[in-house]
Structure formats: C-alpha cells, structure tokens
Amino acid sequence: MQARATGPTIDDVFHALGDPTRRAIVERLSQRPESMSDLAAPFDMSLAAVGQHVQVLERSGLVRTEKIGRTRTCEINPLGMALARQWLEARRRLWETRFDRLADFLGENEDGAD
Amino acid sequence: MQARATGPTIDDVFHALGDPTRRAIVERLSQRPESMSDLAAPFDMSLAAVGQHVQVLERSGLVRTEKIGRTRTCEINPLGMALARQWLEARRRLWETRFDRLADFLGENEDGAD
DNA sequence: ATAATACTGAAGTTCAGGCTTTAGTATTCC
DNA sequence: GGAATACTAAAGCCTGAACTTCAGTATTAT
C-alpha cells in the first residue's frame, strides 16, 4: 500500500520548524550528524520524545536518517531548508515587485515628465 | 506597564508561519494590503478568528497594521520574513562549511594537488 | 439621532500535538 | 547463551492554541 508517495509539502516544513525543540535539533545537526542518543542527551526530555521530533523532521524533508546496526544516525537534509527558503523568496518577490510598481508610478508622475 | 518592549523572536516568527491559515494570509498580503474584512472574506472562518491570526502575525513582525477610522488595514512587514530568512541562511552556512571541510579533506588526500 | 458597518474583547469548546511511560524488537558485548 | 544497549511502537495524559459566539466600542452613513 505505499503511503506518502509524494514528497514533503510546505506545510510539513513550516509545521516542523514551528516547534523550538525541532529547530534546536536542526541547529545541532547543522554542525554535525549525530546518533539518536547523542542528539537527545542535552534535551530535558525522554529519548522517545526526541525520536518523535526526528520523525516529524524526517517527514518534512529537513532531516535524513540511516540506521546502521542498532544506532540511527541523523543528519541535515537540504531539501526541507530549500523548500522553506523558496517559499520565503517567492513572497519576497511579490511584495518587492509591488514596491517597484509603486516606485515606477511615483517616478513617472514626478518632475516635469510628459 | 508597557509589555513586550523587545522585538519579535525567531520563535514568534516560525510559530506564526507554522499555521497554514497564517501563511495564506501572508501570501495574500504579499500581493497587496487589505482591510480586515476583505482579508477575512475568502476564508471559511469567522472574522474574529482571522483577527486573532493577524494579531499573531503582527506580534511576530510578519505583518503591520494601521487603523484608520473603523477599518484596519493590514500589510506585509519585511522584518519577520528577514528574521526567518536569516535563521535559514545561518544554518545553511553551517552545514555548507561542513561540506567544504569534507571536500578539502578529500581533496588533499587525492591526486597530487596541493 | 438612529442605523449600519467594522472591528475587538472575552469566555467557552474542542482537538491536535508534545510529552510520558511501558513494553517491546533488534543488535552488540561478554 | 545471557545481559546490556539503542532504539521504537503504542497508549494515554495534558496543555496550548484554534475556533466559535456573543456582547461591546468606535466610526460612518442617512
């Protein structure tokens, strides 16, 4: 039955980044990959809880994991970050072109043009 | 009593962007400023609910509003977007330098290059 | 002045999501 | 083999946050 054939959505990404613990995990993994236990150690919560956060991050394309033997290693997945960045950039383009049009409008009605 | 003297935090911004309705609001406002009512119209929820979302967006620095007469006009505030973008960029720099160091390591142990 | 509009505040309801605990499974060590 | 390690799945608890409704204020229109 192959659920979740499609990749992560923008909603997945921003929902994942909305939680401070998950952002902290992303920050740590931005520096180096880590095992589940090492990753969980500094947090004031159970290993299981951190595991759940990692699952959310994985589904959102922000983290990639691989299990070797009995340890699972987690590392950053650029895909999720790219999705987030693209969304922000797209919005920025929109309101910047709005400002440009405003500037054009002000510009052509200024001075002795025409 | 002047609460909230300090500006919006990263947590405010990403929490705000974590909700799909609020992202939809940001998308609309990226195109043009709108009154509360106009903004709320297309959403399948009460005006009050949209108003609450706008408050969250305002506290997070993603939206700016101004009340003139009895209508409140909402528009994008670049500050929040900038905060989000900065956070993403900072993480990206981290793991990219990690990759660079890896590349350097591989490079210096390869071929005769120096 | 009265009515209509455009919000705004407050209180209550509901539910998703973050956490815990417990009980597993798979792997490595001795 | 048995004991320790490293997760993982499942169940339940609990809080925060999203939404509603309703009542209230300020502004504009007639």
Side-chain angles (χ1 to χ4, degrees), chain B residues 97-110 113:
Chain B
T97 56
R98 249 205 328 115
F99 282 149
D100 289 351
R101 282 204 304 275
L102 179 63
D104 288 352
F105 172 77
L106 293 175
E108 77 190 10
N109 290 30
E110 163 195 294

Side-chain angles (χ1 to χ4, degrees), chain B residues 36-37 55 67 70-72:
Chain B
M36 224 61 166
S37 323
Q55 277 191 18
K67 189 157 189 176
R70 62 185 166 177
T71 83
R72 177 176 297 273

Side-chain angles (χ1 to χ4, degrees), chain A residues 50-75:
Chain A
V50 172
Q52 284 164 11
H53 281 304
V54 169
Q55 277 190 16
V56 172
L57 288 166
E58 197 166 11
R59 270 185 263 122
S60 72
L62 284 159
V63 163
R64 201 188 300 135
T65 75
E66 187 189 9
K67 188 156 189 175
I68 295 175
R70 61 184 167 177
T71 82
R72 178 176 297 274
T73 306
C74 311
E75 65 175 345

Side-chain angles (χ1 to χ4, degrees), chain B residues 7 9 11 29 37 45 51 88 90 93-94 101:
Chain B
T9 64
D11 195 46
L29 295 181
S37 323
M45 70 180 67
L88 291 173
R93 267 196 299 280
L94 280 179
R101 282 204 304 275

Side-chain angles (χ1 to χ4, degrees), chain A residues 10-19 22 56, chain B residues 17-19 23:
Chain A
I10 288 290
D11 194 47
D12 292 330
V13 176
F14 279 107
H15 171 252
L17 291 175
D19 181 88
R22 283 194 291 263
V56 172
Chain B
L17 290 176
D19 181 89
R23 280 199 313 281

